[in-house]
Amino acid sequence: MSDLQISLIVVGALLILMVLGFNWWQDRRVRRKMQAHFPTNEHDPLLGGGEQPAARGNAKHEDAAWDTPAAARREPGLGKREPSVAENGGRSAPMASTVAAPGAAAGAGATAEGDDTEEADPATEVVIEVAFAEPVRGTDLQQGLQGLRSAGRKPIRIFGVTDRARHRARLHADESYSALQIAVLLANRTGPLTAIEWSQAWARVQDLSERFEATIEGPDQQAVLERAARLDDTCAALDTQVGLTLLLGSAQPAAEVLAVARDLGFVHDGPRLAWVSDEGQARFTLTRGDGAAFDAGMGGVERLNLLLDVPCSPADEHAFGRMVDVGHQLAQRLRAELVDDQGKPLAEGSAQVIDERLQVLFTQLEQAGLRAGSERALRVFA
């Protein structure tokens, strides 16, 4: 072998080592930024140790059923975090954060130069970290993130770190990003995150990483599925709804029923009506027995349903009693009969008994880190 060949081999080896060293340094720089600006948690407050329970599957809403979790159950605590960190709205799964128009607000609880306060929730979400080789403009990320709104029936939220090391809960078109956090919900009322849903999320993140030259990192699939099953079991043990029915006898015009409900204080909440708290949260809801919207067509209404969704309603000493009172007012105005969800007249004193039982459930939700009506509870009980 000639001296020239040896020299070329040495030079080539040195070039390869220089490229590898540069890539290592760049990856280490990005990871430091991610660690500095994404939240970390030493332990999982909701999903701690314990036996792996059976998954919830399709959630069973226990109308007026009062079986409480066994006394031996170890309810997880909150750890360092307040349960009302930013989470999914309760009635419908949220869409992932999208790119905002230039000049839009910097995000929840943030200034233009500060960090957003909304973060991924390690108790209810699993996170895939994405680190870009070079900062990517928000406008360029918009199209690539369209397929990351959900995985199956589990919503996905997206958080970012700008090239100026600012945490963002909502990506902005006029900023550039060095890293992303893809947060996938572990469980909701459709059941725990499945292997197929997790694979969908992972595959879409891989496509994103290939498009924008990024490295990705996430937990092992089996560990994710076990966490999802434990969270689902905790939620299933606390998932309770209480219903009442209004029997109108003959069909009454939907417009008249709607006018009476509005006059009593109900407001529109999609196809249903909601009785809201002073803070604007739904305490209980009113729906037509046929499932149609109140303003859908001219059809008559023969039955109405009142529903108290306990985990999604703010804690209240008279949660059920309040709904009973409003139900009686509706019955009087509509010349209807108020019955329980089994079609039987309400027994005298039953409202007080049920309210006392609900206080136990509100306490259990609080202890489990799923405070009734909190954003976290609205996410997992959606």
Side-chain angles (χ1 to χ4, degrees):
M1 183 178 294
S2 66
D3 292 340
L4 177 60
Q5 290 176 319
I6 294 174
S7 299
L8 291 174
I9 291 173
V10 171
V11 171
L14 289 174
L15 287 174
I16 292 173
L17 289 174
M18 289 174 64
V19 171
L20 291 175
F22 176 77
N23 288 339
W24 174 86
W25 172 82
Q26 191 174 52
D27 183 69
R28 182 178 178 86
R29 178 173 61 87
V30 172
R31 289 180 183 277
R32 284 178 176 175
K33 286 185 179 181
M34 293 174 65
Q35 291 172 357
H37 295 278
F38 281 139
T40 58
N41 205 11
E42 293 180 357
H43 65 283
D44 192 340
L46 263 180
L47 310 175
E51 297 180 359
Q52 179 181 346
R56 179 168 31 157
N58 292 328
K60 297 180 179 178
H61 302 166
E62 302 179 9
D63 297 350
W66 305 109
D67 294 334
T68 58
R73 178 184 296 277
R74 178 180 178 273
E75 297 294 353
L78 272 177
K80 297 184 292 184
R81 293 169 59 92
E82 164 64 28
S84 56
V85 293
E87 294 104 345
N88 172 350
R91 264 70 61 183
S92 61
M95 305 303 280
S97 301
T98 56
V99 177
T111 64
E113 294 300 325
D115 290 342
D116 292 355
T117 57
E118 185 177 348
E119 300 174 343
D121 182 4
T124 61
E125 294 172 314
V126 60
V127 172
I128 302 173
E129 295 179 343
V130 181
F132 298 113
E134 295 291 340
V136 181
R137 293 185 303 170
T139 51
D140 295 333
L141 283 173
Q142 184 174 17
Q143 185 176 357
L145 293 173
Q146 291 301 311
L148 273 171
R149 297 180 180 275
S150 63
R153 291 188 285 182
K154 302 301 182 294
I156 291 175
R157 298 193 297 164
I158 299 173
F159 302 88
V161 170
T162 72
D163 56 354
R164 297 185 177 184
R166 296 298 184 187
H167 170 73
R168 291 288 180 257
R170 181 178 175 85
L171 306 187
H172 296 262
D174 57 352
E175 291 183 325
S176 294
Y177 296 88
S178 60
L180 296 178
Q181 235 186 4
I182 312 299
V184 187
L185 187 65
L186 284 164
N188 56 17
R189 279 176 170 160
T190 67
L193 182 70
T194 66
I196 292 176
E197 290 172 329
W198 174 245
S199 297
Q200 287 177 353
W202 188 263
R204 290 168 186 169
V205 175
Q206 281 185 318
D207 291 341
L208 182 73
S209 70
E210 292 174 2
R211 179 173 180 178
F212 294 104
E213 297 185 12
T215 59
I216 61 175
E217 185 176 351
D220 176 72
Q221 175 175 294
Q222 186 58 37
V224 170
L225 299 182
E226 290 174 358
R227 287 184 57 199
R230 290 197 296 269
L231 175 61
D232 183 72
D233 182 74
T234 298
C235 294
L238 299 171
D239 198 354
T240 302
Q241 297 180 330
V242 188
L244 295 173
T245 301
L246 284 156
L247 303 176
L248 278 61
S250 59
Q252 299 189 30
E256 293 184 11
V257 174
L258 177 59
V260 170
R262 283 177 171 172
D263 190 52
L264 289 176
F266 283 93
V267 298
H268 277 285
D269 183 21
R272 62 187 183 180
L273 301 177
W275 182 278
V276 299
S277 66
D278 294 338
E279 293 75 27
Q281 286 186 280
R283 291 192 180 277
F284 49 86
T285 57
L286 179 69
T287 57
R288 290 175 49 161
D290 58 8
F294 282 92
D295 54 0
M298 301 297 291
V301 179
E302 298 182 354
R303 191 181 70 181
L304 294 169
N305 298 321
L306 284 164
L307 183 68
L308 172 61
D309 191 341
V310 178
C312 297
S313 175
D316 182 2
E317 292 182 359
H318 307 290
F320 183 70
R322 193 187 307 273
M323 186 171 72
V324 170
D325 290 343
V326 174
H328 280 307
Q329 295 178 53
L330 279 171
Q332 183 177 6
R333 295 280 296 272
L334 297 172
R335 301 177 300 282
E337 180 184 5
L338 183 67
V339 298
D340 64 18
D341 55 358
Q342 303 298 319
K344 300 178 181 178
L346 294 176
E348 185 176 354
S350 60
Q352 181 178 353
V353 172
I354 292 177
D355 273 331
E356 290 175 354
R357 293 174 178 174
L358 286 181
Q359 295 313 302
V360 175
L361 184 56
F362 285 136
T363 300
Q364 291 172 337
L365 285 163
E366 181 80 29
Q367 292 173 345
L370 296 166
R371 178 171 52 85
S374 69
E375 293 177 346
R376 176 183 285 174
L378 292 176
R379 182 190 299 122
V380 298
F381 290 104

